[in-house]
Amino acid sequence: MELNTQFLVDRLVQRMDVDRIFLFQFLDEGRKSPHLLLVVNPIKGVSVRSVSPIIHLCMADMPEIPFTVIWTSDWVSQLKKGSLYYTYASLPSHQLYQSGKKGYPTVSNKLVNSLMEMFVLDYAQGKKVADEFMVACYSFRSKMDFFQATVMLHQFVMLRLKGFQSMVGGAIGKSQNLEHLLKVMRGAVPGLFEIFTYDVHSTRLLRLLDSSYLYSKKKDRIDILEEEFEFLLVQCQALGKAMDDMVDFMNDGVAAYRKKQSDRIAQVTQLGGSVDKISVVDRKQNNNIAVDSPILKDFSGFPWPQKYKDDAHIIIDKIFSSYRPEQILLVNYQSAGLSKGNPFQNEEVHQSDGVKIQLYLVVLTKKNLPFSFRQRNFGDVGASMVFLDLPHVEKHLALGSRFVNIVWEKSWILRQKSTFHTHLKAQQIDWSDQLEHIKSCSENAGSVMRNLLMTMTDAPQLMPDTALLLLRELYIIGIQTYVQCAIGYIPKNMDLSDLMDWSAVASTDVIDGIMNTHDLNKLILSIILKPKDIWWKSPAMDMDEKHKTLIINQARAIVELYERLLKGVVLSIEQRIVEAS
């Protein structure tokens, strides 16, 4: 996909009083990607952030790329101060548009050069001090004092951020709050928030950095688990490396331009020409620039109404722009019944027309994320996503793991980064070994479930709340065993409801068996999906003997359902082995 820069410039100039536009390559998660710098003449009563929706509007039908907006006076000030970020972004070779002929300080100015070199030295000095805190962090870690180790991590990141902030030309201030410092730099350097995501799962953990520092100032402590500290350590180290890479990248870009200008001056001088006649503006001639964009696979061959195809494209694009994965793979989709069929068996079930679509996706990322499962909906299409990182996929492909092998061999690639290239090959699955493992797993789980059912039916006095909790345990054992045996992979940290939804990647038998039942059974299911309500609100206290009998009957039905489903899984693998022999 290509970004038509001429169209974009025309739209921006039409809608805003733009002084200059620069398009430059910047590092985003370790790879080059295009960024925009827009220098806009100030508008009375309007903040610089208020123009962002206009820029998004101009890129509505184009690949959206990160951008920074700055008032003209502030931009001139940053160049005079020697800001490395704005100096690099404003190199003449990056300029797409200029409204007037007025000149501004560039990298040829000796004062700018000296200030910029001073900032680089200050950054290196700050990095050296920050590394001393990292050494102390490892020392406290060896003593299992994760609170003090986290305090050292906070100081490490704070020093690195403040040094980096001066490089990009931000106002440093006295704040020691990491979340605030990152948000100040979000506009200029959006890539940092790809590491410190502050999403619903990681926010609590990342805020432990600021909390530990505040408690340390008060000579107090909080409990920090080893797993929490290890997560923070990985994130902080990744942040530090990302900042180092960005500084090196910008510094190399400016240095290369300065060398080029110096060589041109020397060449003209040798030929007896005038240095004043050398053009310091080296503009790009091409109006189109390639953007690091996904390779698209459309849904043209899918038996869906056009509206569903359009909604599916939108939701896939939203997923790609949110997580920037290496690949998005479609493992299966379903409507009233399975549309594609079960990729983990050999059967096929065809779609009925006029029904909503649920996509089951594997999102392949470069590194491990703090979450493994997400769900999204748009219009008539929903998506259940499992996140796998490349090291995990590489390892399990080599081991011949069933789930990763089938995903790699049978999935549709919906989106893929143009920079992603791999030569990974799936090893052959040992179905005989799989069959032995699945038989053992299903038989053991069946025995445990029968024992729990016996406890419920034979207990001399079974309280309703206890009956509900035992029923929930039966649901958990059943769904986890079915997912493990039928699919071969259970995403981490999934609750009961998500597991039931994810099981439909192979078959809707679980959902059909649970939901095609009496309304009272559905009510009981809604209660056990929220165990804290049972613990703290005691809804079971209002149940009588009739309800308790209903719970036991439902428990018996659940045991029979999963025994039937697990036998079906075993039978399907036995048939696969027979057909292959």
Side-chain angles (χ1 to χ4, degrees), residues 45-180:
V46 177
S47 70
V48 72
R49 294 182 181 179
S50 301
V51 302
S52 293
I54 301 175
I55 302 168
H56 286 296
L57 172 66
C58 295
M59 291 192 283
D61 58 349
M62 299 182 183
E64 189 162 320
I65 59 177
F67 59 83
T68 303
V69 185
I70 186 171
W71 296 139
T72 306
S73 56
D74 294 334
W75 174 69
V76 174
S77 176
Q78 292 293 346
L79 291 181
K80 288 181 177 179
K81 290 177 182 177
S83 163
L84 179 60
Y85 174 76
Y86 286 103
T87 300
Y88 166 73
S90 306
L91 289 175
S93 58
H94 296 157
Q95 186 169 297
L96 291 178
Y97 171 82
Q98 179 177 340
S99 63
K101 298 181 179 180
K102 185 177 180 181
Y104 291 110
T106 63
V107 292
S108 61
N109 185 288
K110 292 183 179 180
L111 177 60
V112 172
N113 291 339
S114 61
L115 284 172
M116 193 170 57
E117 290 170 358
M118 181 185 70
F119 280 137
V120 172
L121 291 175
D122 287 345
Y123 178 79
Q125 183 63 32
K127 178 183 174 183
K128 182 179 178 181
V129 177
D131 287 344
E132 293 176 4
F133 280 101
M134 181 58 76
V135 172
C137 169
Y138 277 104
S139 178
F140 283 114
R141 178 198 193 192
S142 65
K143 299 175 186 177
M144 305 298 286
D145 187 347
F146 298 115
F147 169 74
Q148 286 295 345
T150 305
V151 175
M152 296 298 106
L153 270 185
H154 174 276
Q155 292 297 292
F156 166 81
V157 177
M158 187 272 296
L159 285 170
R160 298 301 303 277
L161 278 176
K162 289 203 168 185
F164 187 78
Q165 196 175 18
S166 67
M167 298 287 291
V168 299
I172 297 177
K174 296 182 179 180
S175 175
Q176 298 280 321
N177 186 283
L178 300 182
E179 186 174 0
H180 170 73

Side-chain angles (χ1 to χ4, degrees), residues 344-345 402-403 406 429-446 480-489 562-563 565-574 576-577:
F344 302 93
Q345 297 181 19
R402 180 159 50 111
F403 175 74
I406 290 174
I429 301 174
D430 187 340
W431 287 107
S432 297
D433 181 67
Q434 290 285 329
L435 178 61
E436 183 179 347
H437 172 72
I438 288 171
K439 277 185 174 180
S440 174
C441 179
S442 59
E443 288 171 2
N444 288 339
Q480 294 231 19
T481 305
Y482 175 77
V483 170
Q484 181 61 44
C485 293
I487 302 171
Y489 176 74
Y562 282 113
E563 284 180 342
L565 293 178
L566 291 171
K567 286 179 182 178
V569 172
V570 171
L571 180 61
S572 71
I573 294 179
E574 288 176 341
R576 184 189 290 266
I577 293 173

Side-chain angles (χ1 to χ4, degrees), residues 328-381:
I328 299 177
L329 302 109
L330 175 62
V331 184
N332 200 357
Y333 61 88
Q334 55 130 325
S335 50
L338 281 176
S339 305
K340 181 190 176 216
N342 186 347
F344 302 93
Q345 297 181 19
N346 289 326
E347 61 185 24
E348 289 189 9
V349 182
H350 296 287
Q351 172 194 357
S352 301
D353 290 332
V355 290
K356 294 185 178 181
I357 301 296
Q358 183 72 21
L359 308 178
Y360 295 90
L361 309 172
V362 166
V363 181
L364 185 61
T365 60
K366 186 175 291 186
K367 60 183 180 181
N368 188 26
L369 299 178
F371 49 84
S372 60
F373 184 77
R374 285 285 189 273
Q375 288 186 311
R376 279 201 178 188
N377 295 299
F378 182 85
D380 292 317
V381 176

